[in-house]
Amino acid sequence: GEDVEQSLFLSVREGDSSVINCTYTDSSSTYLYWYKQEPGAGLQLLTYIFSNMDMKQDQRLTVLLNKKDKHLSLRIADTQTGDSAIYFCAESPGFQKLVFGTGTRLLVSP
Amino acid sequence: GAVVSQHPSWVICKSGTSVKIECRSLDFQATTMFWYRQFPKQSLMLMATSNEGSKATYEQGVEKDKFLINHASLTLSTLTVTSAHPEDSSFYICSAREGGQKAGITDTQYFGPGTRLTVL
């Protein structure tokens, strides 16, 4: 089955690192994604990782993938107040289809 | 980057009326578009996959006669909520996938800003 789980809430101080975790179930996903949603808005693709990679770094973002444990994480370095949003991980169990996680609300305080 | 627009951004309607939501890919051709709904503080749930020139594929539990999807061109898909009821109130988000395969990313979906529907 398709079930993507995330912790619901994370609160950090500005300048700290944030780590958002995700567990997924479908090992056939070719790509895994992280999306950001600001209040009342659509989703913005932040980054993605190919399933045969362990890590991907993109400026302040670092994605770690543990395929054995089906665990994905997103680390945001030097978190800013503008990073406050809901973050969704997503797996792609079949061509075209995305299955989203439950979303993690990140709150960054000054 | 690829831009997807939705219209309207919000709509309020009376129970029993129908509402049409448009999703447009502005700078690319989208052979496939997706429709999601999102309840407050919840994740996105895929409703249907819309392929240009063919019938939409609906997810289990989604009434195809209630949520009519039309994808008549490579840049436009519409979702019509027929005989809307208060329980249909939600945030509807579309996404579009570019035709063909972009090198390195086969499933990239570009999302619209969403349409908030309130049914009174």
Side-chain angles (χ1 to χ4, degrees):
Chain A
E2 302 158 354
D3 198 11
V4 185
E5 297 286 339
Q6 297 177 238
S7 50
L8 289 180
F9 188 74
L10 176 65
S11 179
V12 300
R13 288 193 178 274
E14 194 172 22
D16 289 349
S17 292
S18 307
V19 179
I20 302 171
N21 294 301
C22 170
T23 58
Y24 62 97
T25 55
D26 197 305
S27 57
S28 69
S29 294
T30 305
Y31 293 95
L32 294 144
Y33 303 84
W34 283 103
Y35 285 86
K36 176 183 181 182
Q37 184 181 34
E38 299 192 32
L43 272 67
Q44 172 195 354
L45 177 63
L46 283 179
T47 188
Y48 64 94
I49 188 167
F50 189 46
S51 59
N52 69 353
M53 297 171 63
D54 298 323
M55 185 184 84
K56 178 180 178 182
Q57 187 154 0
D58 185 359
Q59 299 182 334
R60 291 192 297 125
L61 306 178
T62 303
V63 179
L64 295 178
L65 175 61
N66 181 329
K67 201 172 180 181
K68 174 177 171 288
D69 295 338
K70 295 185 185 135
H71 184 264
L72 182 72
S73 69
L74 174 69
R75 179 177 180 269
I76 305 173
D78 187 25
T79 315
Q80 303 297 307
T81 54
D83 295 324
S84 294
I86 301 175
Y87 291 80
F88 292 96
C89 64
E91 62 175 357
S92 54
F95 189 62
Q96 300 191 61
K97 186 175 177 177
L98 285 178
V99 177
F100 286 89
T102 47
T104 299
R105 185 177 296 272
L106 174 64
L107 178 64
V108 183
S109 53
Chain B
V3 178
V4 176
S5 70
Q6 280 184 241
H7 177 79
S9 54
W10 59 269
V11 58
I12 301 173
C13 69
K14 291 183 178 180
S15 188
T17 60
S18 294
V19 174
K20 181 185 283 188
I21 302 170
E22 293 185 350
C23 177
R24 291 182 187 273
S25 56
L26 298 185
D27 51 2
F28 66 99
Q29 293 188 330
T31 54
T32 306
M33 289 183 170
F34 304 86
W35 287 97
Y36 298 83
R37 67 185 297 181
Q38 184 182 30
F39 291 106
K41 298 182 179 179
Q42 293 189 26
S43 187
L44 281 74
M45 300 299 295
L46 179 65
M47 299 174 65
T49 302
S50 167
N51 293 297
E52 187 266 337
S54 64
K55 289 184 179 180
T57 302
Y58 290 81
E59 295 297 301
Q60 192 172 7
V62 177
E63 299 175 60
K64 62 181 180 181
D65 294 330
K66 181 168 184 60
F67 299 100
L68 300 179
I69 291 172
N70 184 279
H71 192 162
S73 78
L74 285 171
T75 59
L76 173 65
S77 175
T78 60
L79 167 69
T80 301
V81 183
T82 62
S83 187
H85 288 95
E87 57 266 29
D88 298 324
S89 299
S90 189
F91 194 52
Y92 291 86
I93 304 176
C94 75
S95 70
R97 191 172 67 88
E98 197 164 359
Q101 289 187 357
K102 294 190 68 164
I105 312 174
T106 59
D107 289 344
T108 300
Q109 294 183 26
Y110 300 98
F111 284 80
T115 297
R116 184 162 302 282
L117 169 64
T118 301
V119 185
L120 302 177

